Amino acid sequence: MHVDLYEKLWMWGAGVLVAVFVGAVVYTAAAQAIHPPSHMETIDPAAARTDPRFANPGVTERPDGGVEVVMLAQMFSFLPGEIRVPAGRPVTFRVTSPDVMHGFQVVGTNANAMVVPGYVTEFTVTFPQPGEHLIVCNEYCGMGHHVMHAKLVVEGGAP
Ligand code: CUA
């Protein structure tokens, strides 16, 4: 079968692009620990503040040795505005929004997720080192988007 030279070049070019894209997905998943969301849980955004799952935002111990952080992302703050978690233990974040879409990024870590009204964003991270991190909203959510932030303190050392 005869294939024209330009046809061959386009085929190889397209093949290389596919390989680069698949490679980028594999690289970010393996080397940068970026994962697609896998948690599916719904909530009524209008009742999010009084929903029993979010009525008392904060940090609680889990029986499995990890901690759970329940947070509200709202215009234009995170509730609570400061959280303290232990280093070296799995931290499960559960975040929802009572208003519009927000972002939840713990700067300097791979904790980064979208907070979509109507859904509970859940993911688990372990912070190996003690330290302070800024939590920022990285989805434009309105006039106060740029002031929407919180503080995460990772506490370490011997108990
Ligand atoms: Cu919340 Cu931007």
Side-chain angles (χ1 to χ4, degrees):
M1 184 180 73
H2 173 74
V3 180
D4 187 76
L5 173 65
Y6 288 122
E7 192 71 35
K8 274 188 194 157
L9 290 175
W10 279 112
M11 282 161 61
W12 278 106
V16 166
L17 270 183
V18 169
V20 166
F21 293 155
V22 171
V25 170
V26 171
Y27 173 74
T28 53
Q32 298 177 352
I34 293 174
H35 308 294
S38 54
H39 182 74
M40 183 71 169
E41 181 181 345
T42 56
I43 186 169
D44 176 9
R49 289 188 177 89
T50 50
D51 187 288
R53 291 168 286 174
F54 286 89
N56 295 300
V59 184
T60 50
E61 294 278 336
R62 277 164 80 120
D64 63 4
V67 297
E68 184 170 291
V69 178
V70 171
M71 284 187 104
L72 276 165
Q74 59 193 8
M75 294 154 91
F76 295 103
S77 63
F78 292 98
L79 206 73
E82 179 177 329
I83 50 174
R84 295 177 166 270
V85 299
R89 285 166 61 189
V91 179
T92 299
F93 289 92
R94 286 174 54 77
V95 193
T96 196
S97 164
D99 40 54
V100 300
M101 189 163 78
H102 298 281
F104 184 93
Q105 179 178 9
V106 184
V107 178
T109 74
N110 70 337
N112 185 350
M114 283 167 72
V115 185
V116 183
Y119 293 89
V120 177
T121 297
E122 181 178 311
F123 60 94
T124 303
V125 226
T126 301
F127 302 103
Q129 299 294 336
E132 279 191 22
H133 296 277
L134 191 63
I135 299 172
V136 294
C137 175
N138 59 9
E139 299 278 346
Y140 183 73
C141 52
M143 293 296 285
H145 163 70
H146 61 289
V147 298
M148 184 169 169
H149 65 274
K151 187 160 95 171
L152 174 77
V153 182
V154 181
E155 297 177 316

